[in-house]
Amino acid sequence: MKMRFIMPLFIALLSMPAWAAMQTVTLSVPGMTCPTCPITIKMALGQVEGVSQIDVDYREREAVVTFDDAQTSVAALTEATTNAGFPSILKFMSANDNDSSQ
């Protein structure tokens, strides 16, 4: 009798999606040639669902993007910049740690 209740619970737990995490990536955007290019890049990245923060640096030719990895991916971010005329590649990726006790 117990197995009848435990098995569906176990299956339900296994079928749940993995917990999403906020990710921060640095994209290299070598095609930035003027100080106004970051505006276009920021607008393109801002249209990607799940993006919560964008910082584009013209001098370094990079964009730092924080996003929910359950809603989007690095591939979607690089596609957005490429579609805006600024191909980018992943330079650095880190998971944001919500534990502030460290």
Side-chain angles (χ1 to χ4, degrees):
M1 183 77 169
K2 285 184 184 181
M3 191 62 137
R4 195 163 149 192
F5 294 108
I6 293 174
M7 198 59 154
L9 178 63
F10 182 71
I11 292 170
L13 287 173
L14 288 178
S15 65
M16 294 177 99
W19 293 104
M22 295 302 286
Q23 297 284 326
T24 299
V25 295
T26 301
L27 301 175
S28 175
V29 192
M32 282 194 269
T33 57
C34 69
T36 59
C37 292
I39 296 168
T40 303
I41 293 167
K42 191 169 187 173
M43 286 177 53
L45 291 168
Q47 293 178 1
V48 178
E49 188 176 338
V51 171
S52 60
Q53 186 174 352
I54 307 160
D55 182 30
V56 183
D57 186 337
Y58 165 67
R59 289 186 187 102
E60 296 294 323
R61 289 179 170 67
E62 65 184 26
V64 179
V65 185
T66 302
F67 65 97
D68 182 341
D69 68 358
Q71 294 181 350
T72 194
S73 64
V74 174
L77 301 175
T78 58
E79 181 180 358
T81 63
T82 299
N83 289 344
F86 297 93
S88 64
I89 58 170
L90 179 64
K91 186 174 182 180
F92 182 76
M93 177 182 241
S94 68
N96 291 345
D97 188 0
N98 292 333
D99 181 13
S100 59
S101 64
Q102 294 181 8

